[in-house]
C-alpha cells in the first residue's frame, strides 16, 4: 500500500483566524487509499480553498490580481529539500548533469541545486553537479504537427553516458515532457530522471508522471515562484491562483 500527504481542507472562516490556524493547517494528514496509488508529491485537494492573501506579504503591484495563496514559499522550500534527499538517495551520490527548463523552472532549480550541494558537502563523497539551461520552442511543420525545438544549452551530444536530471516547473498534459525525453534519449545518456515542482491534474493528461514531484495540484491557473503569465508574477515568492482581473489586466 502506498501513501501520500494530503493538506487538510481549511474553511473560509478558518482562513481569517490568522497565523495560528495557518500554522496548524500546514500539518498534513496521511491518507491511505488504493485509488490514489502512484500519485506523486503532496496532493492538494480539488476543494482546497488555499490561504488568505492577508496572511502574507507580496508585491503591492499585484494587489487585486490574485485570488489566494495556494502554496506558501516556506512549504515549497521545505518540500524541495526533501526532494533533494530523495534524489541523492536514489542516484547513489553519483555525478549529475542537471538540465533546467526555462523560464519557469529556474527558481525551483536554484533551490534544488542548493539543497543537493548541501547534502554533498555533508557526505563522505564529492558529487559533481553541472547545471545547464534550455528552453523549449514549438513550431508547425509542413504537416501542421507540433515539433519541439530545444534552444540553448551546450552541445547535447555531451549528454552521452551522463546521469541527467531534467528540472521543470510544471507538468500538465505530459506531452511536452514526453517530447523532450524522446529528444534527450537520442543522445544516449546513462540515465534520465525528471523532477517537477508541480504536477497539474488536467483533463487532457496522457498519464505522464515525473520521477520526483513537489506537489500535485488541481487544474488551476497558478503563478509565482518563477511561474509567470506574460512575464508577470515571476517575482512573486508564493504560488498563487491568479484572479480573473489579473488575467485580463496582463493579457496580451
Amino acid at each position: 500500500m502506498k501513501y501520500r500527504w494530503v493538506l487538510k481542507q481549511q474553511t473560509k472562516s478558518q482562513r481569517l483566524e490568522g497565523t495560528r490556524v495557518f500554522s496548524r493547517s500546514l500539518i498534513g494528514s496521511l491518507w491511505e487509499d488504493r485509488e490514489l496509488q502512484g500519485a506523486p508529491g503532496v496532493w492538494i485537494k480539488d476543494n482546497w480553498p488555499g490561504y488568505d492573501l492577508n496572511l502574507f506579504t507580496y508585491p503591492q503591484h499585484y494587489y487585486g490580481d490574485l485570488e489566494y495563496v495556494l502554496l506558501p514559499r516556506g512549504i515549497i522550500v521545505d518540500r524541495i529539500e526533501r526532494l533533494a534527499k530523495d534524489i541523492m538517495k536514489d542516484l547513489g551520490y553519483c555525478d549529475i548533469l542537471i538540465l533546467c527548463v526555462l523560464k519557469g523552472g529556474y527558481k525551483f532549480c536554484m533551490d534544488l541545486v542548493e539543497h543537493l550541494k548541501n547534502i554533498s558537502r555533508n557526505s563522505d563523497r564529492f558529487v559533481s553537479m553541472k547545471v545547464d539551461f534550455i528552453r523549449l520552442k514549438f513550431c508547425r511543420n509542413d504537416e501542421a504537427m507540433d515539433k519541439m525545438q530545444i534552444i540553448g544549452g551546450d552541445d547535447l551530444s555531451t549528454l552521452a553516458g551522463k546521469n541527467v536530471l531534467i528540472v521543470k516547473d510544471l507538468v500538465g498534459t505530459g506531452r511536452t515532457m514526453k517530447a523532450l525525453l524522446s529528444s534527450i534519449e537520442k543522445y544516449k545518456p546513462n540515465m534520465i530522471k525528471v523532477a517537477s515542482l508541480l504536477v497539474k491534474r488536467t483533463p487532457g493528461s496522457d498519464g505522464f508522471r515525473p520521477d520526483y514531484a513537489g506537489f500535485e495540484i488541481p487544474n488551476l491557473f497558478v503563478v509565482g515562484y518563477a511561474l509567470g503569465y506574460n512575464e508577470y508574477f515571476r517575482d512573486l515568492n508564493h504560488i498563487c491562483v491568479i484572479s480573473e482581473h489579473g488575467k485580463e489586466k496582463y493579457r496580451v
Side-chain angles (χ1 to χ4, degrees):
M1 184 68 64
K2 295 186 178 180
Y3 298 91
R4 68 178 180 190
W5 286 97
V6 182
L7 291 182
K8 291 180 178 177
Q9 183 178 0
Q10 185 187 44
T11 65
K12 184 175 182 180
S13 61
Q14 285 177 320
R15 275 197 312 205
L16 300 178
E17 288 182 24
T19 55
R20 180 175 61 84
V21 172
F22 165 68
S23 299
R24 185 174 68 246
S25 65
L26 292 186
I27 303 174
S29 60
L30 194 62
W31 275 22
E32 182 180 21
D33 191 328
R34 293 182 183 275
E35 293 180 357
L36 305 182
Q37 291 186 13
V42 177
W43 177 278
I44 308 299
K45 294 182 179 181
D46 288 336
N47 60 352
W48 169 246
Y51 299 103
D52 193 281
L53 289 162
N54 292 325
L55 295 174
F56 303 90
T57 57
Y58 63 100
Q60 186 175 351
H61 47 264
Y62 294 138
Y63 284 11
D65 301 331
L66 303 167
E67 289 286 349
Y68 56 86
V69 175
L70 183 70
L71 296 168
R73 172 175 168 76
I75 287 288
I76 298 169
V77 173
D78 190 71
R79 177 64 182 145
I80 293 173
E81 182 178 7
R82 178 51 192 261
L83 289 179
K85 292 179 180 179
D86 292 343
I87 290 169
M88 278 297 203
K89 180 180 178 180
D90 291 349
L91 298 188
Y93 291 82
C94 64
D95 296 343
I96 310 171
L97 195 158
I98 298 170
L99 281 182
C100 174
V101 181
L102 299 174
K103 296 181 180 178
Y106 79 86
K107 206 163 188 176
F108 172 41
C109 183
M110 179 177 63
D111 287 340
L112 180 63
V113 169
E114 184 60 32
H115 284 304
L116 290 170
K117 287 182 177 179
N118 285 338
I119 296 172
S120 174
R121 278 192 288 266
N122 291 287
S123 71
D124 57 1
R125 183 185 184 281
F126 171 73
V127 178
S128 173
M129 280 172 255
K130 179 183 177 183
V131 182
D132 208 348
F133 300 90
I134 60 174
R135 293 182 64 180
L136 307 180
K137 179 181 178 182
F138 287 86
C139 56
R140 296 278 181 172
N141 61 20
D142 294 337
E143 298 177 352
M145 297 290 288
D146 286 327
K147 182 179 180 181
M148 190 190 70
Q149 180 182 0
I150 300 175
I151 302 174
D154 293 337
D155 182 3
L156 295 181
S157 64
T158 60
L159 299 179
K162 301 290 177 46
N163 300 307
V164 178
L165 176 66
I166 299 173
V167 177
K168 200 174 185 302
D169 55 349
L170 184 148
V171 170
T173 64
R175 288 190 288 271
T176 298
M177 276 309 311
K178 283 191 173 181
L180 177 58
L181 287 172
S182 178
S183 297
I184 297 298
E185 286 168 354
K186 296 176 182 177
Y187 298 98
K188 302 187 182 306
N190 178 58
M191 176 178 60
I192 307 175
K193 297 287 186 180
V194 177
S196 180
L197 178 60
L198 303 176
V199 174
K200 185 184 291 189
R201 296 191 293 274
T202 59
S205 173
D206 61 6
F208 175 83
R209 289 292 183 268
D211 301 284
Y212 309 98
F215 305 88
E216 181 162 328
I217 66 172
N219 189 23
L220 298 169
F221 195 150
V222 292
V223 293
Y225 203 75
L227 282 80
Y229 173 54
N230 294 327
E231 298 306 316
Y232 293 94
F233 300 104
R234 296 192 191 277
D235 56 336
L236 186 62
N237 284 330
H238 316 292
I239 293 179
C240 301
V241 176
I242 189 173
S243 66
E244 291 302 321
H245 176 269
K247 293 178 187 177
E248 188 60 34
K249 181 179 178 180
Y250 298 110
R251 192 186 306 276
V252 295

